[in-house]
Amino acid sequence: MSVHATTRKRVTLARLVEMKDAGEPIVMVTAYDHPGAQIVEAAGVDIVLVGDSGAMTVLGYDSTVPVTVDEMLMLTKAVRRGLAAPLLVGDLPFGSYEASDALAIATAQRFIKEAGCDLVKIERGGTSVDRARALVAAGIPVVGHVGLTPQTATALGGYRAQGRTADAARAVIDDALALQDAGCSLLVIEAVPSEVTQALVPLLDIPVIGIGAGADADGQVLVFHDLLGLYDGSAAKFVKRYADLRTDAVAGVAAYADEVRSGAYPAPEHSYSMPADEAAELRGMLVGR
């Protein structure tokens, strides 16, 4: 745990650009609730993303698509209450921004005003470039997302790496450049060959955060439940597990259940008591009832 996490200065967009220019890696992680936010705050990360991945990791959906704006706002508000220093990014869920600039702005404003986000994240290039430009013009900082974009994974052929041919890689890079030109402050690039990231990063002035995109990005992001071994689903190739908390949690709950069933819990040290005279008086009150 970082000993300076509670006293460090708030991370700013200007600070992230300084880190990029200095070659200082940026640490980004997801969080979806207040305890998770407190953990990543104490660990000293730079950016926290309330990703729509919470649809799967904490809400039980089978993809990111069904999660609603209100559900995402609930998660984001909880995370905001647990953070002090990191930048907070809120993921705009599928269907909440694509149809028009007006819809995108209205949704994003809720994430800024109601949930206290510093930035919002949208996926893809194409029409999303127009949405990004409109959001920036409305005074809302934006994070772009290229490569594998889970909200439209079906159209991309499923959850698999993108940009594996020269033409496909060029399309990813073109989307990234267009998002920067639209005014995005950060870019997430997901599940692309390392060579694509190597080619892209020098072309951008904004920080690039990779997930499954190799070591040449300006920073890295992983899902909280993946890196801690909490999510009981198949992990992508790029996931490294730094703990196995699900196994520990199952063992802990099972031990509790065993002790309840055996009568070992609660023991006297886990119980409250009354003064003997008060207990005797109570028993007297109940005689004959």
Side-chain angles (χ1 to χ4, degrees):
M1 180 181 292
S2 171
V3 297
H4 64 280
T6 57
T7 58
R8 64 196 179 110
K9 295 180 179 179
R10 289 200 65 174
V11 179
T12 64
L13 288 173
R15 172 61 183 144
L16 296 181
V17 174
E18 290 176 357
M19 294 173 73
K20 173 185 174 71
D21 292 343
E24 182 180 348
I26 299 166
V27 179
M28 183 177 185
V29 70
T30 68
Y32 312 98
D33 57 20
H34 188 259
Q38 290 180 312
I39 289 169
V40 299
E41 168 75 41
V45 305
D46 303 306
I47 311 171
V48 176
L49 167 66
V50 185
D52 58 4
S53 47
M56 302 164 73
T57 57
V58 299
L59 296 179
Y61 293 117
D62 60 3
S63 76
T64 64
V65 171
V67 72
T68 67
V69 169
D70 286 340
E71 287 170 325
M72 287 298 301
L73 285 170
M74 177 190 67
L75 300 180
T76 308
K77 290 176 185 178
V79 172
R80 174 76 279 170
R81 291 189 285 268
L83 294 183
L87 278 172
L88 177 61
V89 180
D91 229 347
L92 302 191
F94 180 74
S96 71
Y97 63 92
E98 298 92 337
S100 68
D101 292 346
L103 177 63
I105 292 169
T107 302
Q109 285 174 335
R110 294 191 66 189
F111 278 77
I112 301 296
K113 292 179 66 174
E114 297 178 30
C117 287
D118 298 301
L119 306 94
V120 298
K121 185 171 78 65
I122 61 177
E123 291 190 4
R124 300 179 296 111
T127 56
S128 289
V129 174
D130 296 328
R131 304 295 168 258
R133 185 175 292 107
L135 290 171
V136 173
I140 300 168
V142 179
V143 180
H145 184 156
V146 299
L148 173 61
T149 48
Q151 292 177 3
T152 52
T154 301
L156 296 173
Y159 289 86
R160 63 183 187 183
Q162 302 297 305
R164 303 189 77 166
T165 67
D167 286 343
R170 178 59 188 267
V172 170
I173 290 171
D174 286 345
D175 281 343
L177 291 169
L179 287 165
Q180 174 175 262
D181 290 344
C184 285
S185 300
L186 296 171
L187 183 81
V188 171
I189 183 167
E190 180 171 356
V192 300
S194 300
E195 292 86 352
V196 179
T197 307
Q198 290 168 4
L200 173 63
V201 170
L203 301 178
L204 294 179
D205 297 320
I206 61 175
V208 178
I209 309 297
I211 177 167
D216 289 282
D218 299 306
Q220 300 293 329
V221 59
L222 279 178
V223 169
F224 183 89
H225 290 63
D226 285 344
L227 72 92
L228 293 180
L230 283 166
Y231 182 53
D232 188 30
S234 58
K237 177 182 180 180
F238 54 76
V239 171
K240 179 176 180 179
R241 287 187 169 163
Y242 292 83
D244 188 12
L245 298 191
R246 186 177 189 278
T247 297
D248 291 343
V250 171
V253 175
Y256 159 72
D258 288 344
E259 289 200 356
V260 170
R261 290 172 180 139
S262 71
Y265 178 84
E269 64 266 27
H270 305 121
S271 304
Y272 301 100
S273 62
M274 295 173 66
D277 58 337
E278 296 291 343
E281 182 177 349
L282 175 62
R283 287 193 295 271
M285 292 177 180
L286 299 177
V287 171
R289 292 181 65 88

